[in-house]
Each structure stands twice: as C-alpha cells, then as structure tokens.
Amino acid sequence: MPRAKITADQRKDWRNLPPEHWNVRTVHAMVADLNREHFNVDIYVPLRGWTFEQGVIKRALTEYGAEALREIITRAFREYKPTLQYPQLTAGFLVAYMLPQIMPRVLAERKRAEKHDNYSPNNGLTDDEIIDLM
C-alpha cells in the first residue's frame, strides 16, 4: 500500500511533522515562526536570498539530520540577541555561522546521553554471574 503524500501545508507544520519527513520548507517554516514568536518579525527576509538559504539548509539536513538541526535552531533562538541592525535570525546565518558553535555541544551531549543509556552496573553481569566469578 503506497504511503500518503505529505502536503505542502503538512511540511510547514514543523511542530507535528515527524523528523524523517522534514525538508527545507519545514526548516524555513520553523525559523520564520520562531522569528515571529521571539522577535515579533512578521516578514521573514532570507540571508543572501532564498537559493542560498535553501542550499545551506539542505546540506545541514543531509549532514546532521532533522532532529539535530531542530535542536540547533531551538538553541540558537535561545542564544540570539536581536539588534536594530539584525532584528531577526535567518536560517542562513543560523546554519552558516551558529551551527558550527552549537553543533559540537549537541553532539557531545548526545554522546554522553548514549553512554549513560548504555551503562549497565556490574558490566552487564547478573548477580549470579558475579557470584560465580568469586
């Protein structure tokens, strides 16, 4: 049975769209929505034009995946302080300039969490196996 096609409106619904279905449109919608919510910017203006932004977003999605990119965007909006000269946070600036600062932290935290999840006391041995070793 063929999978249902995802509509353009569904692609823009970044809060509900599963990460495996994200694309450039989804990321742009997220950035534009967060600019509206955080900085009251109604009209999103891309850095160096739409083509540049689409390219950097596509590369970031391919290289890091939607979940990591979503985390980076979320953190970037927490860290960014708008100015009169730069009243919004563009996807192009975020990916080209902020991602290299934030991504190492995200990857390190994921690695620590993965180690913690894989941790098992007594090296994975049961109590009976430990008694047998003694």
Side-chain angles (χ1 to χ4, degrees):
M1 183 168 151
R3 293 186 348 185
K5 185 173 166 84
I6 298 171
T7 66
D9 286 338
Q10 288 171 317
R11 291 267 184 222
K12 293 178 190 175
D13 186 11
W14 58 273
R15 287 182 171 96
N16 296 309
L17 188 66
E20 64 269 14
H21 298 297
W22 276 40
N23 66 9
V24 172
R25 183 181 298 234
T26 313
V27 173
H28 262 136
M30 180 182 186
V31 173
D33 286 352
L34 291 176
N35 269 296
R36 218 174 354 272
E37 293 167 15
H38 288 259
F39 311 132
N40 295 318
V41 173
D42 291 326
I43 299 173
Y44 179 80
V45 179
L47 175 72
R48 297 188 200 159
W50 291 104
T51 303
F52 170 79
E53 282 205 349
Q54 290 166 347
V56 296
I57 292 169
K58 177 66 176 160
R59 281 189 293 282
L61 279 170
T62 301
E63 188 168 345
Y64 301 110
E67 288 181 30
L69 192 54
R70 181 181 181 143
E71 177 66 23
I72 289 163
I73 293 167
T74 302
R75 288 182 187 210
F77 272 91
R78 272 190 247 135
E79 295 175 13
Y80 185 75
K81 305 290 182 236
T83 64
L84 287 175
Q85 189 175 6
Y86 302 107
Q88 70 174 351
L89 180 56
T90 65
F93 178 81
L94 194 152
V95 173
Y97 299 102
M98 294 184 81
L99 181 141
Q101 297 171 16
I102 299 171
M103 182 58 79
R105 288 183 273 160
V106 170
L107 295 176
E109 288 169 13
R110 285 183 174 197
K111 193 171 190 175
R112 272 193 304 277
E114 186 178 300
K115 276 186 179 179
H116 180 71
D117 290 346
N118 291 332
Y119 171 76
S120 61
N122 303 324
N123 293 324
L125 298 173
T126 65
D127 290 340
D128 291 334
E129 291 170 327
I130 292 171
I131 292 169
D132 289 343
L133 290 173
M134 297 180 154

